[in-house]
Amino acid sequence: MNGPWKTFRWGGRVLLALLLIPASFLVASHLAAQEYTHPTLLSMPEPRDPRPDPMDVRVELENGVVVYVVPDATVPLVTVSVFLAAGRAHGAPGAADALAGVLRSRGPAGFQGPTAFQGPGQLSWGERLREMNALLRVEVGAEEMEVTLDLPAHRAAEGLDLLARLLTSPALDGVEPEGLLGGVIRRSPSEMAAGESGPVLYEGSLDEAVRLFHDHLLEGTRYAPSLSPGEAAALTLPQLRAFHAYATREARMVVALSGDFQRRDAEAWLQGSFGAGDFRGVEPAGEGPEGRRQGDAVPPGGVAMELRPELVGGAPSPWPPRSGVLYPVDKLQGWVVLGHELPPVPLEDEAPLWVMNYILGGGHFDARLFIEVRDKRGLANTAGAFPSPNRAGPGAYTFRTYGRPETVPLLIRILQDEIQRIRDEPVSPEELQVAQGAYAEGEYGMWFHNGEATARTLAREWLHSGQHDGTASFRERIRQVTVADVQRVARSYLHPGDLRMVLVGPWEAIQEVPALDGEPPVADFGEIWVVR
């Protein structure tokens, strides 16, 4: 048996080799046919501009409210988003979040909820939305609120009437404002981390650390995302009513409407709903980018807004630089947020700042922070940099990552090293080209990739600037960014000496770890406070 079997095996190998010879020629010819030209020399054709002429999708109602109407029959749904130029920075502390709670849970007057006084067939607000197969979302920011309704196309007219009624006459009677603020009252991570299902475990933990960072950085201003229990308890119903009157009647409003409908039908629906209310539209800002508004830092007189005057132009943080706040929680890893204040960014700095940040830590696989943290060392799943400026007051520039206790000190050093490096050294032409392409084609394309995105992009631009020069010139401004521009904005907007830190994690374990690469202990970052 051995002789024939050995002959069979050798014969099989020869046959396999003969079969692989043509395959090897195919692979070689395929490799030879590949394009090895450097991307900078490819001379790619100019892609089509996905942005429509804003005037082609714009409708101005009789009361001055501007609506961007973009039919899109991809699916039989309609989305309407109302953008209000009012947020946490306006009104008494907590008023914006309390109004959002009323809109979500109580609805328009007459939909306060099921009670003994409701007759047969009457629906609560939640039941009405479910009956319509509709989804309501309310988002609150520092300087803007967004109220969005998604619903089937055949209920579009009804939905627009209901949404206009919700904003005009929310069910404020009998409201206890403090009871609507549970989600924004400041709590310690120890409370948030209770149990294995707590948010300071894995999913959402970095978001919790970012919220704490913003709370500390912007403490004492209306730009902080959370409220103290005392602020929540102090909010009164008259203050809530005053904020509602300002947000829906004196602040500016822009509407985005998209979905499966005919434009002539949409214009009739809009005039009968948002055109009939006592809403205020946005006045044009004038010609050219120099006419761009930064937003209303202080609302007009006549309404008790109680906005602190020091917010105009930004306010210094009471949290000193080169210091950290540590929140010990009994978990398997630590979440790190470094950062500092970010002032309003003028139009001429926007494009260079986004390009610089894309290279440094813009949330993709080729960013410097991602390469240093994950590709080279395998310390963490991700690391990123996130500028979040406001238009009239202080914002934040944050740098975020997370990892096991033994990696945390090295992660902190890497974040600081890369912030310093992009200030000190010019970026490469290749890095610049990739970042420019990502924004001029990728990010810009996503702004207009379907009807909803197009309507939202144009509506928010008009809300905040009263014109459309920003999107019209965006790709040109991105492509004009130079290596020198990147270094200029890095030095203008990145300040290693002003960094602050929030660390959420197993502090005792983090303190005890030996250095992995000669990095200093966390305590060397600066003055450290441990919140027990």
Side-chain angles (χ1 to χ4, degrees):
M1 292 293 292
N2 286 340
W5 176 246
K6 182 180 293 186
T7 302
F8 177 77
R9 285 190 301 166
W10 278 106
R13 292 174 181 173
V14 171
L15 179 61
L16 179 62
L18 291 173
L19 292 172
L20 288 177
I21 288 172
S24 64
F25 279 115
L26 288 173
V27 171
S29 61
H30 174 72
L31 291 174
Q34 284 188 348
E35 176 63 72
Y36 291 101
T37 305
H38 194 278
T40 58
L41 305 175
L42 282 176
S43 300
M44 299 293 288
E46 182 73 14
R48 180 186 66 84
D49 188 352
R51 174 185 179 271
D53 185 335
M55 299 307 295
D56 290 343
V57 296
R58 171 193 172 96
V59 174
E60 185 167 347
L61 306 180
E62 292 178 0
N63 57 1
V65 171
V66 169
V67 187
Y68 291 88
V69 180
V70 185
D72 183 348
T74 305
V75 292
L77 298 175
V78 167
T79 297
V80 54
S81 296
V82 180
F83 298 95
L84 302 169
R88 292 191 179 101
H90 306 100
D97 289 291
L99 179 60
V102 171
L103 301 180
R104 292 189 195 105
S105 62
R106 294 172 62 87
F111 285 92
Q112 290 90 328
T115 70
F117 300 103
Q118 285 184 310
Q122 288 184 293
L123 301 178
S124 70
W125 177 231
E127 290 169 340
R128 179 62 180 277
L129 292 175
R130 286 191 292 274
E131 182 270 332
M132 297 175 66
N133 289 316
L135 175 65
L136 178 73
R137 291 173 284 130
V138 185
E139 302 293 334
V140 181
E143 299 170 337
E144 175 188 311
M145 289 183 66
E146 175 188 345
V147 185
T148 294
L149 187 66
D150 297 300
L151 72 165
H154 69 278
R155 308 293 292 268
E158 179 184 2
L160 283 167
D161 287 337
L162 198 59
L163 188 57
R165 179 180 165 191
L166 173 67
L167 292 170
T168 304
S169 305
L172 295 176
D173 290 342
V175 165
E176 295 181 3
E178 184 180 5
L180 298 164
L181 298 173
V184 293
I185 296 177
R186 223 165 279 155
R187 291 185 289 170
S188 74
S190 297
E191 294 177 82
M192 301 295 289
E196 287 302 303
S197 62
V200 187
L201 182 60
Y202 291 105
E203 188 66 32
S205 304
L206 191 57
D207 294 338
E208 182 64 19
V210 171
R211 181 190 66 81
L212 288 164
F213 183 90
H214 283 85
D215 277 341
H216 287 295
L217 183 71
L218 303 174
E219 181 182 0
T221 77
R222 299 294 163 74
Y223 286 78
S226 300
L227 298 170
S228 69
E231 287 174 319
L235 181 63
T236 66
L237 183 55
Q239 289 173 324
L240 177 55
R241 289 187 184 278
F243 177 79
H244 165 252
Y246 171 72
T248 59
R249 291 176 175 81
E250 296 188 41
R252 303 184 305 275
M253 169 189 289
V254 183
V255 181
L257 177 64
S258 61
D260 188 8
F261 52 74
Q262 298 295 319
R263 175 164 172 152
R264 61 179 178 275
D265 296 331
E267 292 185 12
W269 303 336
L270 289 162
Q271 194 59 59
S273 55
F274 288 95
D278 187 20
F279 300 122
R280 176 189 167 200
V282 179
E283 297 176 0
E287 298 297 327
E290 67 278 0
R292 182 181 189 233
R293 281 195 302 266
Q294 290 295 331
D296 290 340
V298 180
V303 180
M305 287 288 99
E306 303 178 14
L307 184 66
R308 297 177 183 175
E310 67 268 19
L311 288 183
V312 182
S317 171
W319 185 14
R322 302 305 305 180
S323 61
V325 183
L326 309 180
Y327 290 88
V329 295
D330 185 18
K331 299 298 179 184
L332 299 179
Q333 61 183 14
W335 294 270
V336 178
V337 181
L338 302 185
H340 51 62
E341 286 189 22
L342 184 62
V345 179
L347 189 66
E348 60 269 20
D349 284 350
E350 277 187 355
L353 179 63
W354 303 144
V355 169
M356 182 275 291
N357 187 73
Y358 186 91
I359 296 169
L360 175 60
H364 57 94
F365 292 159
D366 203 36
R368 289 182 175 185
L369 291 179
F370 189 93
I371 291 171
E372 294 296 325
V373 163
R374 179 167 174 170
D375 288 359
K376 289 185 177 180
R377 297 177 174 87
L379 299 175
N381 284 333
T382 189
F386 301 87
S388 53
N390 286 305
R391 291 174 173 80
Y397 205 148
T398 55
F399 309 87
R400 315 168 187 178
T401 189
Y402 55 89
R404 294 185 63 83
E406 60 269 22
T407 70
V408 167
L410 182 53
L411 289 170
I412 293 172
R413 193 199 76 186
I414 292 170
L415 294 180
Q416 296 180 86
D417 287 350
E418 291 307 313
I419 293 169
Q420 190 65 52
R421 181 162 76 99
I422 203 167
R423 283 173 49 92
D424 294 344
E425 304 171 6
V427 300
S428 70
E430 290 78 12
E431 287 177 311
L432 177 62
Q433 184 191 31
V434 169
Q436 287 173 315
Y439 269 101
E441 313 308 337
E443 180 72 12
Y444 179 80
M446 292 303 295
W447 294 351
F448 304 102
H449 78 281
N450 62 16
E452 181 183 0
T454 299
R456 287 176 55 85
T457 296
L458 296 175
R460 294 191 72 240
E461 183 180 31
W462 185 257
L463 180 78
H464 294 299
S465 65
Q467 59 188 17
H468 292 294
D469 291 351
T471 54
S473 64
F474 179 78
R475 293 202 296 181
E476 180 183 0
R477 288 185 286 120
I478 288 289
R479 289 170 179 149
Q480 289 177 347
V481 174
T482 66
V483 169
D485 291 331
V486 171
Q487 190 166 32
R488 174 181 63 81
V489 295
R491 291 174 174 174
S492 297
Y493 293 97
L494 295 175
H495 305 290
D498 292 339
L499 286 173
R500 299 153 171 93
M501 176 174 64
V502 160
L503 171 57
V504 179
W507 176 228
E508 300 301 331
I510 292 169
Q511 281 186 300
E512 295 168 359
V513 298
L516 295 176
D517 190 24
E519 71 277 5
V522 174
D524 282 9
F525 179 83
E527 188 175 359
I528 302 295
W529 295 285
V530 180
V531 179
R532 298 291 182 183

